[in-house]
Amino acid sequence: MTAILSLDNVTQRFGGLTALDAVSLDIAPGEVVGLIGPNGAGKTTLVNMVSGVYKPSTGTITFDGKRIDGLKSYQIARLGVARTYQVVQPFPEMTVLENVMSPATFAAGNLGVEAAQEKALEALRFCGLDEQAQMRASELTLAGRKRLELAKSLAMDPKVLLLDEVNAGLNPAEIDLALDLIRRISAKGVTIVIIEHLMKVVMNLCSRIVVLHHGAKIAEGTPAEVTSDPHVIEAYLGNRYARKQAGEAKEGADG
Amino acid sequence: MTRVLPVVLVIALVAALPLLGDNYLLRLGTMGAMYAVMALSWNVIGGFAGYPSFATAAFFGLGAYTGAILQGAGVYMPLAWVAACLAAALFAGLLGLAILHLKGHYFAIASLVVAEVLLEITTSWTSLTGGGMGLNLPILRISVDAQARLFFWAMLALASLTLAMNWIVANHRLGFGLRCIRQNEDASGMVGINTTLYKVIAFILSAVFVGGAGALYASWVFYIEPPDVFATLTSVKPIVMALLGGAGTVLGPVIGAVLFLVMEELVWRNLLEIHAAALGILIVILIFFLPGGVLGLFKRRRKPAAPSRPLASAEAGR
Amino acid sequence: MLYAQILINGLVLGGLYACIAVGFSLVWGVLNVINILHGTFVVLGSYIAYFCYVHLGIHPFLSIIVSGGILFVLGFLVQAGLINRVMGAPVLTTLVLTFGLELLLNNGILLAFSADYRTVQLANPLGSTIIGGLVFPLERVVATALALGLTVLLYVMLAKSRIGRAIVAVRMDAEAAALMGVNVKRIYAVTFGVGALMAGAAGSLLAIVFPISPLNSTEFLGIAFVVCVLGGLGSVAGAMVGGLALGVIESFGALFIGPEHGLTIAFTLLILLLIFRPTGIMGRRGYE
Ligand SMILES: Nc1ncnc2c1ncn2[C@@H]1O[C@H](COP(=O)(O)OP(=O)(O)O)[C@@H](O)[C@H]1O
Ligand SMILES: [Mg+2]
């Protein structure tokens, strides 16, 4: 199966800092891939590069058979790559409906006002935000604003959706709702890359997990493979703990 | 449509002003229409897109000189006006491509300084512009009353055109996109808005009719000189008018222009030496007591917007 | 030899430019406010120096204390009473507000002192001296030395004093500074006052060099713009480099293109820099 999104040897430098270091990654259509790693690992940077905020220092990014590195963010959005922000980015003075109408108007083909409104309402219903449609975006709760981000990206009819910590700051009940929502989006056939700190979420949703550490890809595989990988444990917990774990595993095998 | 009809009626009523046969009133009307053109034009880039442009004087002066030079070379007056519109639009397009990537204060300064540079160039290029001595325009061979009517109607037509342009923009995806850009430019790219293109279009729209107004003004007063048409105040006044009426609305700038004109005539004409100070006081009152403009008084009182620190840059900086 | 002389003239001018701009840059950097009043503050400083000399016989080199003090108070009051209320509002609000205040103040000065140019005629001028064939106009040289000295003093004040550290902290992160117990609004007012103080002091020094008139304010403001963009916003060192650079560029521009085009050259440079290198020739730096 050919990848819908692939990064080939992508490096991003900021001055002296290498935020992403020769990362290669292939994502198949319909997959839900988890992207994990400690703070500062370069996860947000990866999303920013794919969505056109930065142009990679070196390397290429291909989406749907087309090179997209170096394209502007609006071009990438129109091709069908949507992203949410770790720090939510609404249009604060507009209503929730207008917020969601904006991608429907500008990214999802040339829709007129009525069609855009219809599409926006559909996305709002899908995300359970239709009751708040006439509220100002700045009046929503944090959970509401996170769902607004999701609704905005859905209204673009994306092929690939990049979710940057959509659950950060939510309580367990809200997280369960969000999980359900993401599962339903995936069921529509949308390919999802999700950045997440909560292992519960990642283990639940993802068929495959990619681990970044200091800008480099250090592991990749099924949730079970990744969580037992000593490199990953080392990255997260420091190497003393990793050695101890490895030792225990060895003892277990010996005994 | 129900909101368009009253506006058309008002314009028609104003157009009947010459019936009163008072040339002083006609002069005021012409001034008011010119102010409306400038305030409405600024509204597109400053009100809708939220870019603090101080370039109005540059477009106005450029239009005035384009019109004056062409008329001096024998070009038919209305054609010279059209050419002035085009010159201002072209200039704004190129300037916009160069400086619209700047944000906030940097953009404001760049746009402010452009008029100064044009002023200096015009003053130095004596062979073309007459330099500091200014430029005389060909005299029209019609009666004084006919002239007063002609320029009044022409300016009013231009103002109506600018108003129509604002109305169309506000109700078109361009206006929607510009509002997105004003509230969050980074997110605008992510929802598929070609922000560069939209901003440049907005900048061009904020220039085209101002260029025309400059040319009309030159024809109207028969004589222009650089400090007159490139004055920094020409950039500041339209902003004050738009804020006075309500920036980012369609009718606000018109209301602001009329109020401004009335104040200018009533208060300042009699107190010439404190003209600038009076404007200063008006600005201070406006900022502290009328932040949403006159139209803002009629709207539901909105909570003050949160400090507009761009979230994306905060995120990138972490 | 001619070039060396022009370089010296440029540096002498540039020191004064640095002094004009450093207060403007400080306010912009810390408050994120462009103070359109700045040019008129400089003019006011010049008038204070003029009257101090004419009526009290205080030499302009000494009256920087008077003009700096008066302008500090004025600046502090303007910020505390007016601008502080609109901090955090969109850029346009503070721009238009300071524009309005500038119209008011400048008009006031115009009414009080008229637009006529006045000059400080020193009773015992130092004249000039010739070293190795180069002419050093002593008044100007001392004025520039004082201007640069004041700028360095500001730098030291920001780095060493308690209030200076508070200003730097507010510049870096106002919210964090507030959490650490800094009264941010007070610091804003003090910073604005210090900006005005530097403008007033610069005005005093300029009184010996240039004729004084309210009409000069636009030019001084323009110089502050250009120096800030040239040196990069927000550092004392940047203002110093930017000021000296502008002085030298203007002197050579006057030689090659004509003396009446000084400001045009500066503004053209400003626009080109903004287009191609908005962080200034030194790159963006903080008030380290
Ligand atoms: N625009 C930028 N300029 C400079 N450094 C940046 C920028 N964006 C991110 N970084 C740096 O890149 C590294 C990776 O950051 P990020 O991608 O946000 O990490 P994560 O999302 O995995 O926590 C961090 O060290 C961060 O400081
Ligand atoms: Mg992140």
Side-chain angles (χ1 to χ4, degrees), chain A residues 44 53 74 77-78 85 88-89 91-93 98 105-107 110, chain B residues 173 176 182-184 189-194 198 311-312 315:
Chain A
T44 299
V53 177
Y74 78 92
R78 288 180 189 179
Y85 285 92
V88 290
Q89 300 275 357
F91 301 115
E93 293 164 32
E98 285 173 314
T105 307
F106 297 105
N110 260 324
Chain B
R173 53 195 285 144
F176 188 25
R182 175 163 62 82
Q183 294 180 34
N184 193 333
M190 287 308 154
V191 298
I193 298 170
N194 185 346
Y198 271 37
L311 292 166
E315 178 193 1

PDB file of all heavy atoms in Angstrom, chain A residues 44 53 74 77-78 85 88-89 91-93 98 105-107 110, chain B residues 173 176 182-184 189-194 198 311-312 315:
ATOM      1  N   THR A  44       5.488  19.047  17.839  1.00  0.00           N
ATOM      2  CA  THR A  44       4.766  20.186  17.268  1.00  0.00           C
ATOM      3  C   THR A  44       5.487  20.706  16.027  1.00  0.00           C
ATOM      4  O   THR A  44       4.850  21.092  15.035  1.00  0.00           O
ATOM      5  CB  THR A  44       4.608  21.296  18.323  1.00  0.00           C
ATOM      6  OG1 THR A  44       3.865  20.785  19.417  1.00  0.00           O
ATOM      7  CG2 THR A  44       3.890  22.500  17.750  1.00  0.00           C
ATOM      8  N   VAL A  53       3.858  25.708   8.115  1.00  0.00           N
ATOM      9  CA  VAL A  53       4.290  26.863   8.902  1.00  0.00           C
ATOM     10  C   VAL A  53       5.784  27.112   8.662  1.00  0.00           C
ATOM     11  O   VAL A  53       6.215  28.241   8.487  1.00  0.00           O
ATOM     12  CB  VAL A  53       4.020  26.636  10.403  1.00  0.00           C
ATOM     13  CG1 VAL A  53       4.536  27.814  11.218  1.00  0.00           C
ATOM     14  CG2 VAL A  53       2.535  26.436  10.641  1.00  0.00           C
ATOM     15  N   TYR A  74      -1.857  27.709   3.299  1.00  0.00           N
ATOM     16  CA  TYR A  74      -3.206  27.647   2.723  1.00  0.00           C
ATOM     17  C   TYR A  74      -3.279  26.631   1.589  1.00  0.00           C
ATOM     18  O   TYR A  74      -4.299  25.982   1.378  1.00  0.00           O
ATOM     19  CB  TYR A  74      -3.651  29.040   2.248  1.00  0.00           C
ATOM     20  CG  TYR A  74      -3.068  29.498   0.938  1.00  0.00           C
ATOM     21  CD1 TYR A  74      -3.733  29.260  -0.260  1.00  0.00           C
ATOM     22  CD2 TYR A  74      -1.853  30.166   0.882  1.00  0.00           C
ATOM     23  CE1 TYR A  74      -3.195  29.672  -1.466  1.00  0.00           C
ATOM     24  CE2 TYR A  74      -1.310  30.586  -0.301  1.00  0.00           C
ATOM     25  CZ  TYR A  74      -1.987  30.336  -1.485  1.00  0.00           C
ATOM     26  OH  TYR A  74      -1.454  30.739  -2.664  1.00  0.00           O
ATOM     27  N   ALA A  77      -3.479  23.204   3.184  1.00  0.00           N
ATOM     28  CA  ALA A  77      -4.815  23.017   3.731  1.00  0.00           C
ATOM     29  C   ALA A  77      -5.806  22.663   2.625  1.00  0.00           C
ATOM     30  O   ALA A  77      -6.642  21.777   2.771  1.00  0.00           O
ATOM     31  CB  ALA A  77      -5.260  24.290   4.449  1.00  0.00           C
ATOM     32  N   ARG A  78      -5.692  23.344   1.488  1.00  0.00           N
ATOM     33  CA  ARG A  78      -6.644  23.088   0.403  1.00  0.00           C
ATOM     34  C   ARG A  78      -6.446  21.700  -0.207  1.00  0.00           C
ATOM     35  O   ARG A  78      -7.380  21.133  -0.770  1.00  0.00           O
ATOM     36  CB  ARG A  78      -6.500  24.154  -0.683  1.00  0.00           C
ATOM     37  CG  ARG A  78      -7.053  25.503  -0.243  1.00  0.00           C
ATOM     38  CD  ARG A  78      -6.905  26.537  -1.326  1.00  0.00           C
ATOM     39  NE  ARG A  78      -7.248  27.868  -0.816  1.00  0.00           N
ATOM     40  CZ  ARG A  78      -7.192  28.962  -1.550  1.00  0.00           C
ATOM     41  NH1 ARG A  78      -6.809  28.884  -2.824  1.00  0.00           N
ATOM     42  NH2 ARG A  78      -7.509  30.122  -1.035  1.00  0.00           N
ATOM     43  N   TYR A  85      -4.255  23.013  16.707  1.00  0.00           N
ATOM     44  CA  TYR A  85      -3.144  23.602  17.440  1.00  0.00           C
ATOM     45  C   TYR A  85      -3.135  23.116  18.876  1.00  0.00           C
ATOM     46  O   TYR A  85      -4.185  22.961  19.496  1.00  0.00           O
ATOM     47  CB  TYR A  85      -3.266  25.118  17.450  1.00  0.00           C
ATOM     48  CG  TYR A  85      -2.905  25.791  16.159  1.00  0.00           C
ATOM     49  CD1 TYR A  85      -3.866  26.066  15.206  1.00  0.00           C
ATOM     50  CD2 TYR A  85      -1.591  26.159  15.900  1.00  0.00           C
ATOM     51  CE1 TYR A  85      -3.537  26.706  14.023  1.00  0.00           C
ATOM     52  CE2 TYR A  85      -1.256  26.800  14.730  1.00  0.00           C
ATOM     53  CZ  TYR A  85      -2.227  27.074  13.797  1.00  0.00           C
ATOM     54  OH  TYR A  85      -1.900  27.707  12.636  1.00  0.00           O
ATOM     55  N   VAL A  88      -5.073  26.405  21.377  1.00  0.00           N
ATOM     56  CA  VAL A  88      -6.185  26.574  20.435  1.00  0.00           C
ATOM     57  C   VAL A  88      -6.144  27.942  19.760  1.00  0.00           C
ATOM     58  O   VAL A  88      -5.708  28.927  20.354  1.00  0.00           O
ATOM     59  CB  VAL A  88      -7.556  26.381  21.117  1.00  0.00           C
ATOM     60  CG1 VAL A  88      -7.748  24.937  21.477  1.00  0.00           C
ATOM     61  CG2 VAL A  88      -7.681  27.283  22.324  1.00  0.00           C
ATOM     62  N   GLN A  89      -6.563  27.983  18.519  1.00  0.00           N
ATOM     63  CA  GLN A  89      -6.466  29.190  17.702  1.00  0.00           C
ATOM     64  C   GLN A  89      -7.806  29.544  17.077  1.00  0.00           C
ATOM     65  O   GLN A  89      -7.966  29.482  15.869  1.00  0.00           O
ATOM     66  CB  GLN A  89      -5.459  28.974  16.559  1.00  0.00           C
ATOM     67  CG  GLN A  89      -4.064  28.649  16.986  1.00  0.00           C
ATOM     68  CD  GLN A  89      -3.276  29.896  17.283  1.00  0.00           C
ATOM     69  OE1 GLN A  89      -3.768  30.996  17.117  1.00  0.00           O
ATOM     70  NE2 GLN A  89      -2.056  29.731  17.741  1.00  0.00           N
ATOM     71  N   PHE A  91     -10.989  32.155  15.937  1.00  0.00           N
ATOM     72  CA  PHE A  91     -11.180  33.571  15.608  1.00  0.00           C
ATOM     73  C   PHE A  91     -12.075  34.111  16.724  1.00  0.00           C
ATOM     74  O   PHE A  91     -13.291  33.905  16.697  1.00  0.00           O
ATOM     75  CB  PHE A  91     -11.822  33.722  14.234  1.00  0.00           C
ATOM     76  CG  PHE A  91     -10.997  33.107  13.141  1.00  0.00           C
ATOM     77  CD1 PHE A  91     -11.475  32.019  12.426  1.00  0.00           C
ATOM     78  CD2 PHE A  91      -9.739  33.602  12.827  1.00  0.00           C
ATOM     79  CE1 PHE A  91     -10.711  31.444  11.429  1.00  0.00           C
ATOM     80  CE2 PHE A  91      -8.975  33.025  11.831  1.00  0.00           C
ATOM     81  CZ  PHE A  91      -9.461  31.948  11.133  1.00  0.00           C
ATOM     82  N   PRO A  92     -11.502  34.779  17.717  1.00  0.00           N
ATOM     83  CA  PRO A  92     -12.204  34.959  18.995  1.00  0.00           C
ATOM     84  C   PRO A  92     -13.493  35.764  18.911  1.00  0.00           C
ATOM     85  O   PRO A  92     -14.418  35.512  19.676  1.00  0.00           O
ATOM     86  CB  PRO A  92     -11.163  35.674  19.868  1.00  0.00           C
ATOM     87  CG  PRO A  92     -10.175  36.253  18.923  1.00  0.00           C
ATOM     88  CD  PRO A  92     -10.168  35.374  17.733  1.00  0.00           C
ATOM     89  N   GLU A  93     -13.562  36.743  17.998  1.00  0.00           N
ATOM     90  CA  GLU A  93     -14.746  37.603  17.986  1.00  0.00           C
ATOM     91  C   GLU A  93     -15.873  37.045  17.127  1.00  0.00           C
ATOM     92  O   GLU A  93     -16.930  37.628  17.037  1.00  0.00           O
ATOM     93  CB  GLU A  93     -14.374  39.011  17.490  1.00  0.00           C
ATOM     94  CG  GLU A  93     -13.468  39.745  18.458  1.00  0.00           C
ATOM     95  CD  GLU A  93     -12.812  40.947  17.802  1.00  0.00           C
ATOM     96  OE1 GLU A  93     -13.436  41.553  16.917  1.00  0.00           O
ATOM     97  OE2 GLU A  93     -11.658  41.248  18.164  1.00  0.00           O
ATOM     98  N   GLU A  98     -19.434  30.755  12.582  1.00  0.00           N
ATOM     99  CA  GLU A  98     -18.568  31.459  11.630  1.00  0.00           C
ATOM    100  C   GLU A  98     -17.162  30.873  11.621  1.00  0.00           C
ATOM    101  O   GLU A  98     -16.529  30.754  10.573  1.00  0.00           O
ATOM    102  CB  GLU A  98     -18.494  32.944  11.988  1.00  0.00           C
ATOM    103  CG  GLU A  98     -19.738  33.730  11.632  1.00  0.00           C
ATOM    104  CD  GLU A  98     -19.686  35.156  12.167  1.00  0.00           C
ATOM    105  OE1 GLU A  98     -19.315  35.339  13.340  1.00  0.00           O
ATOM    106  OE2 GLU A  98     -20.010  36.073  11.405  1.00  0.00           O
ATOM    107  N   THR A 105     -15.496  27.586   3.764  1.00  0.00           N
ATOM    108  CA  THR A 105     -15.509  28.557   2.673  1.00  0.00           C
ATOM    109  C   THR A 105     -14.204  28.534   1.882  1.00  0.00           C
ATOM    110  O   THR A 105     -14.204  28.621   0.661  1.00  0.00           O
ATOM    111  CB  THR A 105     -15.714  29.977   3.242  1.00  0.00           C
ATOM    112  OG1 THR A 105     -16.857  29.974   4.073  1.00  0.00           O
ATOM    113  CG2 THR A 105     -15.911  30.993   2.128  1.00  0.00           C
ATOM    114  N   PHE A 106     -13.089  28.453   2.590  1.00  0.00           N
ATOM    115  CA  PHE A 106     -11.820  28.708   1.913  1.00  0.00           C
ATOM    116  C   PHE A 106     -11.042  27.445   1.551  1.00  0.00           C
ATOM    117  O   PHE A 106     -10.256  27.456   0.617  1.00  0.00           O
ATOM    118  CB  PHE A 106     -10.940  29.608   2.783  1.00  0.00           C
ATOM    119  CG  PHE A 106     -11.542  30.945   3.007  1.00  0.00           C
ATOM    120  CD1 PHE A 106     -12.105  31.283   4.222  1.00  0.00           C
ATOM    121  CD2 PHE A 106     -11.563  31.877   1.979  1.00  0.00           C
ATOM    122  CE1 PHE A 106     -12.680  32.520   4.423  1.00  0.00           C
ATOM    123  CE2 PHE A 106     -12.133  33.125   2.174  1.00  0.00           C
ATOM    124  CZ  PHE A 106     -12.699  33.443   3.397  1.00  0.00           C
ATOM    125  N   ALA A 107     -11.228  26.363   2.304  1.00  0.00           N
ATOM    126  CA  ALA A 107     -10.394  25.198   2.033  1.00  0.00           C
ATOM    127  C   ALA A 107     -11.153  24.108   1.287  1.00  0.00           C
ATOM    128  O   ALA A 107     -10.585  23.392   0.464  1.00  0.00           O
ATOM    129  CB  ALA A 107      -9.828  24.640   3.328  1.00  0.00           C
ATOM    130  N   ASN A 110     -14.863  25.606  -3.661  1.00  0.00           N
ATOM    131  CA  ASN A 110     -15.410  26.949  -3.745  1.00  0.00           C
ATOM    132  C   ASN A 110     -16.866  26.974  -3.327  1.00  0.00           C
ATOM    133  O   ASN A 110     -17.763  27.068  -4.138  1.00  0.00           O
ATOM    134  CB  ASN A 110     -15.280  27.472  -5.182  1.00  0.00           C
ATOM    135  CG  ASN A 110     -14.094  28.397  -5.312  1.00  0.00           C
ATOM    136  OD1 ASN A 110     -13.797  29.140  -4.385  1.00  0.00           O
ATOM    137  ND2 ASN A 110     -13.422  28.343  -6.448  1.00  0.00           N
TER     138      ASN A 110
ATOM    139  N   ARG B 173     -16.652  36.709   0.242  1.00  0.00           N
ATOM    140  CA  ARG B 173     -15.674  35.902   0.980  1.00  0.00           C
ATOM    141  C   ARG B 173     -14.403  36.693   1.291  1.00  0.00           C
ATOM    142  O   ARG B 173     -13.718  36.404   2.268  1.00  0.00           O
ATOM    143  CB  ARG B 173     -15.347  34.624   0.220  1.00  0.00           C
ATOM    144  CG  ARG B 173     -14.921  34.883  -1.214  1.00  0.00           C
ATOM    145  CD  ARG B 173     -14.960  33.610  -2.024  1.00  0.00           C
ATOM    146  NE  ARG B 173     -13.855  32.734  -1.718  1.00  0.00           N
ATOM    147  CZ  ARG B 173     -13.936  31.414  -1.687  1.00  0.00           C
ATOM    148  NH1 ARG B 173     -15.075  30.831  -1.940  1.00  0.00           N
ATOM    149  NH2 ARG B 173     -12.894  30.687  -1.434  1.00  0.00           N
ATOM    150  N   PHE B 176     -14.934  38.206   4.631  1.00  0.00           N
ATOM    151  CA  PHE B 176     -14.869  37.146   5.630  1.00  0.00           C
ATOM    152  C   PHE B 176     -13.407  36.773   5.892  1.00  0.00           C
ATOM    153  O   PHE B 176     -12.952  36.700   7.040  1.00  0.00           O
ATOM    154  CB  PHE B 176     -15.666  35.941   5.124  1.00  0.00           C
ATOM    155  CG  PHE B 176     -15.842  34.839   6.123  1.00  0.00           C
ATOM    156  CD1 PHE B 176     -15.802  35.087   7.487  1.00  0.00           C
ATOM    157  CD2 PHE B 176     -16.071  33.537   5.687  1.00  0.00           C
ATOM    158  CE1 PHE B 176     -15.991  34.051   8.393  1.00  0.00           C
ATOM    159  CE2 PHE B 176     -16.251  32.508   6.585  1.00  0.00           C
ATOM    160  CZ  PHE B 176     -16.205  32.758   7.943  1.00  0.00           C
ATOM    161  N   ARG B 182      -7.687  39.505  10.507  1.00  0.00           N
ATOM    162  CA  ARG B 182      -7.578  40.458  11.610  1.00  0.00           C
ATOM    163  C   ARG B 182      -7.542  39.737  12.959  1.00  0.00           C
ATOM    164  O   ARG B 182      -6.802  40.109  13.857  1.00  0.00           O
ATOM    165  CB  ARG B 182      -8.760  41.434  11.587  1.00  0.00           C
ATOM    166  CG  ARG B 182      -8.780  42.379  12.790  1.00  0.00           C
ATOM    167  CD  ARG B 182      -9.681  43.569  12.557  1.00  0.00           C
ATOM    168  NE  ARG B 182     -11.059  43.175  12.350  1.00  0.00           N
ATOM    169  CZ  ARG B 182     -11.904  42.903  13.332  1.00  0.00           C
ATOM    170  NH1 ARG B 182     -11.509  42.964  14.587  1.00  0.00           N
ATOM    171  NH2 ARG B 182     -13.141  42.545  13.067  1.00  0.00           N
ATOM    172  N   GLN B 183      -8.334  38.681  13.084  1.00  0.00           N
ATOM    173  CA  GLN B 183      -8.446  38.038  14.398  1.00  0.00           C
ATOM    174  C   GLN B 183      -7.360  37.017  14.665  1.00  0.00           C
ATOM    175  O   GLN B 183      -7.026  36.771  15.824  1.00  0.00           O
ATOM    176  CB  GLN B 183      -9.824  37.401  14.541  1.00  0.00           C
ATOM    177  CG  GLN B 183     -10.908  38.455  14.566  1.00  0.00           C
ATOM    178  CD  GLN B 183     -12.284  37.861  14.710  1.00  0.00           C
ATOM    179  OE1 GLN B 183     -12.474  36.864  15.368  1.00  0.00           O
ATOM    180  NE2 GLN B 183     -13.252  38.494  14.083  1.00  0.00           N
ATOM    181  N   ASN B 184      -6.842  36.404  13.631  1.00  0.00           N
ATOM    182  CA  ASN B 184      -5.797  35.399  13.850  1.00  0.00           C
ATOM    183  C   ASN B 184      -5.179  35.021  12.509  1.00  0.00           C
ATOM    184  O   ASN B 184      -5.669  34.141  11.813  1.00  0.00           O
ATOM    185  CB  ASN B 184      -6.382  34.167  14.532  1.00  0.00           C
ATOM    186  CG  ASN B 184      -5.307  33.251  15.055  1.00  0.00           C
ATOM    187  OD1 ASN B 184      -4.202  33.224  14.530  1.00  0.00           O
ATOM    188  ND2 ASN B 184      -5.624  32.501  16.078  1.00  0.00           N
ATOM    189  N   GLY B 189      -4.267  31.033   7.582  1.00  0.00           N
ATOM    190  CA  GLY B 189      -3.600  30.188   6.590  1.00  0.00           C
ATOM    191  C   GLY B 189      -4.056  28.751   6.718  1.00  0.00           C
ATOM    192  O   GLY B 189      -4.301  28.072   5.720  1.00  0.00           O
ATOM    193  N   MET B 190      -4.227  28.303   7.954  1.00  0.00           N
ATOM    194  CA  MET B 190      -4.589  26.906   8.199  1.00  0.00           C
ATOM    195  C   MET B 190      -5.995  26.562   7.713  1.00  0.00           C
ATOM    196  O   MET B 190      -6.302  25.405   7.488  1.00  0.00           O
ATOM    197  CB  MET B 190      -4.514  26.592   9.690  1.00  0.00           C
ATOM    198  CG  MET B 190      -3.124  26.496  10.228  1.00  0.00           C
ATOM    199  SD  MET B 190      -2.099  25.383   9.279  1.00  0.00           S
ATOM    200  CE  MET B 190      -0.519  26.101   9.636  1.00  0.00           C
ATOM    201  N   VAL B 191      -6.883  27.567   7.635  1.00  0.00           N
ATOM    202  CA  VAL B 191      -8.223  27.258   7.137  1.00  0.00           C
ATOM    203  C   VAL B 191      -8.314  27.516   5.636  1.00  0.00           C
ATOM    204  O   VAL B 191      -9.395  27.500   5.061  1.00  0.00           O
ATOM    205  CB  VAL B 191      -9.344  28.040   7.872  1.00  0.00           C
ATOM    206  CG1 VAL B 191      -9.363  27.676   9.337  1.00  0.00           C
ATOM    207  CG2 VAL B 191      -9.197  29.532   7.687  1.00  0.00           C
ATOM    208  N   GLY B 192      -7.170  27.731   4.993  1.00  0.00           N
ATOM    209  CA  GLY B 192      -7.160  27.781   3.530  1.00  0.00           C
ATOM    210  C   GLY B 192      -7.209  29.170   2.931  1.00  0.00           C
ATOM    211  O   GLY B 192      -7.438  29.308   1.725  1.00  0.00           O
ATOM    212  N   ILE B 193      -6.979  30.212   3.733  1.00  0.00           N
ATOM    213  CA  ILE B 193      -7.008  31.564   3.188  1.00  0.00           C
ATOM    214  C   ILE B 193      -5.628  31.943   2.655  1.00  0.00           C
ATOM    215  O   ILE B 193      -4.627  31.811   3.368  1.00  0.00           O
ATOM    216  CB  ILE B 193      -7.447  32.580   4.261  1.00  0.00           C
ATOM    217  CG1 ILE B 193      -8.862  32.262   4.731  1.00  0.00           C
ATOM    218  CG2 ILE B 193      -7.383  34.007   3.714  1.00  0.00           C
ATOM    219  CD1 ILE B 193      -9.289  33.052   5.945  1.00  0.00           C
ATOM    220  N   ASN B 194      -5.587  32.400   1.426  1.00  0.00           N
ATOM    221  CA  ASN B 194      -4.336  32.889   0.849  1.00  0.00           C
ATOM    222  C   ASN B 194      -4.107  34.293   1.418  1.00  0.00           C
ATOM    223  O   ASN B 194      -4.493  35.297   0.832  1.00  0.00           O
ATOM    224  CB  ASN B 194      -4.450  32.922  -0.667  1.00  0.00           C
ATOM    225  CG  ASN B 194      -3.133  33.300  -1.334  1.00  0.00           C
ATOM    226  OD1 ASN B 194      -2.215  33.774  -0.664  1.00  0.00           O
ATOM    227  ND2 ASN B 194      -3.059  33.096  -2.621  1.00  0.00           N
ATOM    228  N   TYR B 198      -5.002  38.086  -0.139  1.00  0.00           N
ATOM    229  CA  TYR B 198      -6.119  38.849   0.420  1.00  0.00           C
ATOM    230  C   TYR B 198      -5.650  40.202   0.953  1.00  0.00           C
ATOM    231  O   TYR B 198      -6.306  41.221   0.784  1.00  0.00           O
ATOM    232  CB  TYR B 198      -6.805  38.045   1.531  1.00  0.00           C
ATOM    233  CG  TYR B 198      -7.907  37.153   1.013  1.00  0.00           C
ATOM    234  CD1 TYR B 198      -7.775  36.505  -0.206  1.00  0.00           C
ATOM    235  CD2 TYR B 198      -9.082  36.976   1.711  1.00  0.00           C
ATOM    236  CE1 TYR B 198      -8.779  35.698  -0.695  1.00  0.00           C
ATOM    237  CE2 TYR B 198     -10.102  36.169   1.237  1.00  0.00           C
ATOM    238  CZ  TYR B 198      -9.942  35.532   0.029  1.00  0.00           C
ATOM    239  OH  TYR B 198     -10.945  34.748  -0.459  1.00  0.00           O
ATOM    240  N   LEU B 311      -1.182  33.870  19.760  1.00  0.00           N
ATOM    241  CA  LEU B 311      -0.929  32.608  20.436  1.00  0.00           C
ATOM    242  C   LEU B 311       0.124  31.780  19.714  1.00  0.00           C
ATOM    243  O   LEU B 311       0.931  31.115  20.331  1.00  0.00           O
ATOM    244  CB  LEU B 311      -2.230  31.819  20.517  1.00  0.00           C
ATOM    245  CG  LEU B 311      -3.263  32.471  21.440  1.00  0.00           C
ATOM    246  CD1 LEU B 311      -4.625  31.850  21.232  1.00  0.00           C
ATOM    247  CD2 LEU B 311      -2.841  32.324  22.880  1.00  0.00           C
ATOM    248  N   ALA B 312       0.095  31.843  18.385  1.00  0.00           N
ATOM    249  CA  ALA B 312       1.003  30.980  17.631  1.00  0.00           C
ATOM    250  C   ALA B 312       2.451  31.317  17.954  1.00  0.00           C
ATOM    251  O   ALA B 312       3.276  30.443  18.153  1.00  0.00           O
ATOM    252  CB  ALA B 312       0.762  31.134  16.144  1.00  0.00           C
ATOM    253  N   GLU B 315       3.422  30.040  21.184  1.00  0.00           N
ATOM    254  CA  GLU B 315       3.681  28.603  21.143  1.00  0.00           C
ATOM    255  C   GLU B 315       5.048  28.333  20.538  1.00  0.00           C
ATOM    256  O   GLU B 315       5.834  27.546  21.057  1.00  0.00           O
ATOM    257  CB  GLU B 315       2.600  27.919  20.303  1.00  0.00           C
ATOM    258  CG  GLU B 315       2.808  26.434  20.168  1.00  0.00           C
ATOM    259  CD  GLU B 315       1.921  25.828  19.095  1.00  0.00           C
ATOM    260  OE1 GLU B 315       1.164  26.573  18.462  1.00  0.00           O
ATOM    261  OE2 GLU B 315       2.004  24.635  18.890  1.00  0.00           O
TER     262      GLU B 315
END
